[in-house]
Amino acid sequence: MSERDLVARIQRRLPPAPPWMLVGIGDDAAVIEPERNRAEVLSVDALVEGIHFDASFVPPDAIGHRALAVNLSDLAAMGATPRLALLSLVLPSALAVDAFDAMVGGLLRLASAHATHVAGGNLTRSPGPLLLDVTVAGHVKRRQAMTRGGARPGDEIYVSGTVGSAGAGLQMLEAASPQAVSDAAGPCVRRYLYPEPRVRLGMLLSRNRAASACIDLSDGLSDGLYRIAEASGVGMAIDPGALPIEPAARAWFAARGVDPVAASLAAGDDYELLFTVRPRTGRRLAAAIRHGGTALTRIGVCTADRAMVLKGAPGEPGGDQELPRVGYGHFQ
Amino acid sequence: MSERDLVARIQRRLPPAPPWMLVGIGDDAAVIEPERNRAEVLSVDALVEGIHFDASFVPPDAIGHRALAVNLSDLAAMGATPRLALLSLVLPSALAVDAFDAMVGGLLRLASAHATHVAGGNLTRSPGPLLLDVTVAGHVKRRQAMTRGGARPGDEIYVSGTVGSAGAGLQMLEAASPQAVSDAAGPCVRRYLYPEPRVRLGMLLSRNRAASACIDLSDGLSDGLYRIAEASGVGMAIDPGALPIEPAARAWFAARGVDPVAASLAAGDDYELLFTVRPRTGRRLAAAIRHGGTALTRIGVCTADRAMVLKGAPGEPGGDQELPRVGYGHFQ
């Protein structure tokens, strides 16, 4: 199948181009009318077979879903409204057309759910792994973009949804027989295969000016905490008992003799938002919670002394520990 | 070397961020102030080792140069002024730091020459080939974006610079010993390794409204002609004697018993601009030529009858032929 045929297969499934798309797929570049009085937010992220996913247990529609989800999650972390995506697909010649269609289908379903239009891209052959490199563009009011660098001592630390879920889901998929995998439908496996980028929550946090700093959790909770702390120049004290660990994940880790807190700090791929909130701005946060539809959990506080601390329970042996700097870097 | 270290190596070499870059490298996404009263132009293109280049004779700085050049060439074809690039680099673990630095250096030199700022990106490990996926953004006045679809019967067809050069250069590199390659400095080899995107010419054609349709030559002259013809709904009559074939390329092809015209129609990677011009708008074109610094050659005319014809010389045997539909599609 030629590049032209594959592009046509994508084009047939696209919704009508919005009026701001002056030139869409099929020319040398896309031409876009910017949103008035907004700053533009741009991000790119690649999903590489064998590094970011194992095609033996991640079905094609989940591959397409995840390739866009990780990018929408970056926009969510900035508080941006998504607008368009460019798809750069690098395809092994062995990839079946059915798998291509399913992959594109998974991506376009998520795009449609977030009003994100495919404005162009590039297809090329791969001599190696399947690779999906997605660029997304969105917009945000100039002063409402959330960064990693705005946290101050005293700010409270929140995380959306649950942590450790995708990490447990990945382990479940790795451990299961192919048959069991296709039947698996637990929240952990679903979270790993079809993460939900917190786009709406990010927009609400940004519009309500509820968050002083924000990041999305791609490489684990611990990594996210360290990155906000370093960019903001603060320390953090985290309450391990407060972590919103998915019950199914907690049970999975515990049954394998692994401390659920340590596992949930290290596990990646949850794509929740981690953010900080100034004390006494609870009303703004409440507005974001009320309309965002996602549970938010306070897990700690920013400190002036730069130390990264996992609090011990009062009266328990061990006491405070240094927050383990663990994570998922795909270069390690 | 960790992802963080490699990002730091890139960041150290970047010029100061321009004032319109509100958030640059190091956060979840880049935040950009749009250019006032301009449409935005976006393009993405991947360079894959083993498909688009052979690392045994393409040095790392040329790999970096080409990865950005192919994208700037897409902006040039639209008449856009480049502004920023996002770099998604997928790196084999065997890639040496020296090679990484040289690759980034080649890319940043070309970026600097075209006032293109690196606003962000992504680094990941590759289990297979080296891959550089670059997204570029630029801007153009709304009604001055050039597309492939504006040619009408009677429009004259022009190409910038020379054709066949990069194709001959690639063959020279493939045929030479490694020693000879490093000494090679002919125009064909240079064109293949360090193509010059026609950014300034594209901007001038667009501002002077000199071109009715435009495309850049990535997959060969013949492919470019067919694409404009199809998008515009015209035919074309091409004068083979007029093609601006690089003398060194002509000699190379002829010495191997290959028709230089056929070879130059099929050869890719020249990254010249192919465009059409309404009759009697010569003054606008002259303005573009005067300031663009690139030779322009009239190679044919658009026709109403949809046929794609390579003209025969009057009185010579053979006469008119169908323009061969050859090209370079990386899926064939």
Side-chain angles (χ1 to χ4, degrees):
Chain A
M1 186 150 289
S2 75
E3 176 178 354
R4 189 175 289 230
D5 294 332
L6 292 174
V7 171
R9 291 182 87 83
I10 298 177
Q11 273 183 293
R12 273 201 297 277
R13 301 172 67 164
L14 296 182
W20 49 260
M21 202 184 294
L22 307 178
V23 177
I25 284 187
D27 217 295
D28 290 294
V31 184
I32 304 297
E33 185 88 52
E35 183 78 9
R36 279 174 66 94
N37 299 319
R38 292 287 187 280
E40 186 173 32
V41 184
L42 288 164
S43 186
V44 63
D45 229 332
L47 224 62
V48 185
E49 179 184 354
I51 302 285
H52 302 95
F53 65 91
D54 183 332
S56 72
F57 57 71
V58 179
D61 72 320
I63 294 172
H65 176 103
R66 294 182 82 231
L68 181 61
V70 301
N71 280 285
L72 292 178
S73 183
D74 282 323
L75 293 188
M78 307 300 287
T81 305
R83 209 171 187 219
L84 65 90
L86 303 175
L87 315 181
S88 186
L89 308 181
V90 183
L91 309 173
S93 39
L95 186 75
V97 173
D98 283 0
F100 173 83
D101 285 345
M103 193 174 78
V104 169
L107 193 151
L108 292 183
R109 249 190 316 280
L110 184 65
S112 165
H114 292 284
T116 302
H117 292 266
V118 173
N122 186 60
L123 290 183
T124 190
R125 199 157 56 79
S126 171
L130 172 63
L131 186 145
L132 300 87
D133 200 38
V134 176
T135 303
V136 287
H139 54 82
V140 68
K141 279 198 183 166
R142 268 164 205 72
R143 293 173 192 202
Q144 292 182 5
M146 301 186 291
T147 68
R148 302 174 179 178
R152 287 197 219 142
D155 286 4
E156 300 185 317
I157 304 167
Y158 282 81
V159 68
S160 67
T162 59
V163 293
S165 315
L170 173 57
Q171 290 183 11
M172 293 172 188
L173 287 163
E174 285 172 339
S177 68
Q179 184 49 41
V181 167
S182 62
D183 292 344
C188 296
V189 168
R190 270 204 309 277
R191 172 72 70 87
Y192 177 74
L193 294 179
Y194 304 98
E196 270 307 322
R198 300 301 188 188
V199 172
R200 187 166 162 71
L201 175 63
M203 287 162 57
L204 289 165
L205 290 174
S206 146
R207 287 179 192 171
N208 290 290
R209 297 170 189 260
S212 52
C214 188
I215 192 172
D216 72 311
L217 295 182
S218 51
D219 296 339
L221 178 58
S222 172
D223 179 78
L225 291 166
Y226 268 95
R227 285 181 189 258
I228 287 185
E230 284 166 6
S232 298
V234 296
M236 291 178 167
I238 302 300
D239 174 7
L243 299 189
I245 303 171
E246 178 88 48
R250 188 183 288 276
W252 172 269
F253 292 129
R256 273 146 198 84
V258 177
D259 174 23
V261 168
S264 298
L265 284 166
D269 292 325
D270 275 326
Y271 297 102
E272 296 291 356
L273 294 186
L274 173 71
F275 57 97
T276 57
V277 176
R278 297 262 189 274
R280 290 180 296 277
T281 55
R283 201 178 298 171
R284 295 183 192 163
L285 184 61
I289 295 172
R290 197 163 48 243
H291 300 290
T294 309
L296 304 180
T297 308
R298 185 187 172 287
I299 61 169
V301 66
C302 296
T303 58
D305 68 359
R306 306 295 298 266
M308 298 295 284
V309 176
L310 199 59
K311 303 294 285 182
E316 263 193 26
D320 294 357
Q321 298 168 38
E322 190 184 351
L323 181 73
R325 168 135 229 183
V326 283
Y328 220 46
H330 291 296
F331 267 86
Q332 281 139 28
Chain B
M1 187 151 289
S2 75
E3 177 179 353
R4 187 175 288 229
D5 295 332
L6 293 173
V7 171
R9 290 182 87 83
I10 298 178
Q11 272 182 295
R12 274 201 296 277
R13 301 172 67 165
L14 295 181
W20 47 260
M21 202 184 292
L22 307 178
V23 177
I25 284 187
D27 217 296
D28 290 295
V31 183
I32 304 296
E33 184 87 52
E35 183 78 9
R36 279 173 67 93
N37 299 317
R38 293 287 186 282
E40 184 172 35
V41 185
L42 288 164
S43 185
V44 62
D45 229 332
L47 224 62
V48 185
E49 179 183 352
I51 302 287
H52 302 96
F53 64 91
D54 183 333
S56 70
F57 57 73
V58 179
D61 72 320
I63 294 172
H65 177 104
R66 295 181 83 231
L68 182 61
V70 302
N71 279 286
L72 292 178
S73 183
D74 282 322
L75 293 189
M78 308 301 287
T81 304
R83 208 170 188 222
L84 65 91
L86 303 176
L87 314 181
S88 185
L89 308 181
V90 183
L91 309 174
S93 39
L95 186 74
V97 173
D98 284 0
F100 174 82
D101 284 344
M103 193 174 79
V104 169
L107 193 151
L108 292 183
R109 251 191 315 281
L110 184 66
S112 166
H114 292 286
T116 302
H117 292 266
V118 173
N122 185 59
L123 290 183
T124 190
R125 199 156 56 80
S126 171
L130 172 63
L131 185 145
L132 299 87
D133 200 38
V134 177
T135 304
V136 288
H139 54 83
V140 68
K141 279 196 183 168
R142 269 164 203 71
R143 293 174 190 200
Q144 291 182 5
M146 301 186 291
T147 69
R148 302 173 179 178
R152 288 195 219 141
D155 286 3
E156 300 183 317
I157 304 166
Y158 282 82
V159 69
S160 67
T162 59
V163 292
S165 314
L170 173 57
Q171 290 183 10
M172 292 172 189
L173 286 165
E174 285 172 338
S177 68
Q179 184 48 42
V181 166
S182 62
D183 291 343
C188 296
V189 168
R190 269 203 309 277
R191 173 72 71 87
Y192 178 74
L193 293 179
Y194 304 98
E196 270 307 321
R198 300 301 188 189
V199 172
R200 187 166 162 70
L201 174 64
M203 286 161 58
L204 288 165
L205 290 173
S206 146
R207 287 180 192 172
N208 289 290
R209 296 171 189 263
S212 52
C214 188
I215 191 172
D216 73 311
L217 295 183
S218 51
D219 295 339
L221 178 58
S222 172
D223 179 78
L225 291 165
Y226 268 95
R227 285 181 190 256
I228 287 185
E230 285 167 4
S232 298
V234 297
M236 291 178 168
I238 302 299
D239 174 6
L243 300 189
I245 303 171
E246 178 88 48
R250 188 183 288 278
W252 172 268
F253 293 129
R256 273 146 197 84
V258 178
D259 174 22
V261 167
S264 298
L265 283 167
D269 292 326
D270 277 324
Y271 297 102
E272 296 291 354
L273 293 185
L274 173 71
F275 57 97
T276 57
V277 176
R278 297 263 190 274
R280 291 180 295 279
T281 54
R283 199 178 301 170
R284 293 182 194 166
L285 184 61
I289 295 172
R290 198 164 47 241
H291 301 290
T294 309
L296 303 179
T297 308
R298 184 188 173 288
I299 61 169
V301 66
C302 296
T303 58
D305 69 358
R306 304 295 299 266
M308 298 294 284
V309 176
L310 198 58
K311 302 295 286 182
E316 264 192 26
D320 295 354
Q321 299 167 41
E322 190 183 352
L323 181 73
R325 168 135 228 183
V326 283
Y328 220 50
H330 291 294
F331 268 86
Q332 280 141 30

